[in-house]
Amino acid sequence: YNMTIEQLRKDMIAAAKAKDKDRKDAISALLSAAKKLAIDEGKRDDVPEELVDRAILKEQKSAKESLDSCPASRTDLLEEYQTRYDIISEYAPKMMSEDEIRDYLEKNAAEELASKNKGMIMKKVMPALKGKADGKTISQVVAELIK
């Protein structure tokens, strides 16, 4: 299922009422990221769920980068970044597993797989799997299937 702007708003208000500052701040960041992307793409009045998902994935990625680049000695920051990452991850679209990707490829790209042309296969499946599966994982599965 995909995340909507309305759902993020509701959850943010709930977190504010519960006085859960970390949660409120994380969701608020997701909301502004989604709104900014919607404005950039001229979809401010009708924000598609797919766009909200993309904004969340982007925020998740930068939260992960903050976490990964934080010095181990800064336990206070690490804790803050981890909390933020965990909250954002609850909202991030679930990524397909390797098996799900393999199934998808075998069903939808059999012809391209037969060609063993990795570029052609990726071109065929990436638009459909964007935001649903990790590019690196897709690439690995493709490599496995055509070797």
Side-chain angles (χ1 to χ4, degrees):
Y1 84 109
N2 302 57
M3 190 43 63
T4 62
I5 286 266
E6 289 70 35
Q7 187 60 53
L8 283 175
R9 270 197 204 111
K10 275 186 207 144
D11 290 2
M12 186 176 82
I13 293 166
K17 283 183 179 159
K19 307 229 184 317
D20 185 342
K21 188 181 177 319
D22 291 338
R23 196 169 187 84
K24 181 184 142 294
D25 291 349
I27 299 171
S28 167
L30 293 178
L31 255 176
S32 22
K35 280 185 200 153
K36 184 183 177 310
L37 192 57
I39 291 167
D40 291 348
E41 296 188 9
K43 297 176 179 159
R44 187 170 65 182
D45 300 322
D46 184 22
V47 184
E49 296 176 6
E50 168 277 324
L51 184 147
V52 178
D53 282 343
R54 264 191 296 142
I56 295 171
L57 284 171
K58 203 169 155 203
E59 288 299 299
Q60 184 185 32
K61 193 176 170 190
S62 66
K64 180 90 178 94
E65 283 163 5
S66 303
L67 188 57
D68 291 343
S69 60
C70 184
S73 57
R74 294 294 312 270
T75 47
D76 54 331
L77 271 182
L78 276 174
E79 208 171 301
E80 185 186 315
Y81 290 158
Q82 185 65 57
T83 303
R84 189 183 180 91
Y85 178 74
D86 292 343
I87 295 167
I88 292 173
S89 295
E90 290 173 34
Y91 288 92
K94 297 287 169 269
M95 290 294 153
M96 290 164 74
S97 68
E98 284 187 29
D99 290 336
E100 289 171 317
I101 294 170
R102 195 171 299 113
D103 284 349
Y104 180 87
L105 288 165
E106 286 166 352
K107 281 193 192 90
N108 300 284
E111 224 171 285
E112 287 78 5
L113 285 171
S115 76
K116 299 211 181 291
N117 177 334
K118 190 170 186 184
M120 195 163 94
I121 301 165
M122 294 300 281
K123 203 168 157 170
K124 160 100 176 165
V125 301
M126 281 315 280
L129 297 180
K130 193 177 171 170
K132 297 189 181 98
D134 177 62
K136 272 194 221 117
T137 316
I138 298 170
S139 189
Q140 278 168 286
V141 175
V142 168
E144 246 170 67
L145 288 170
I146 61 178
K147 68 171 184 235

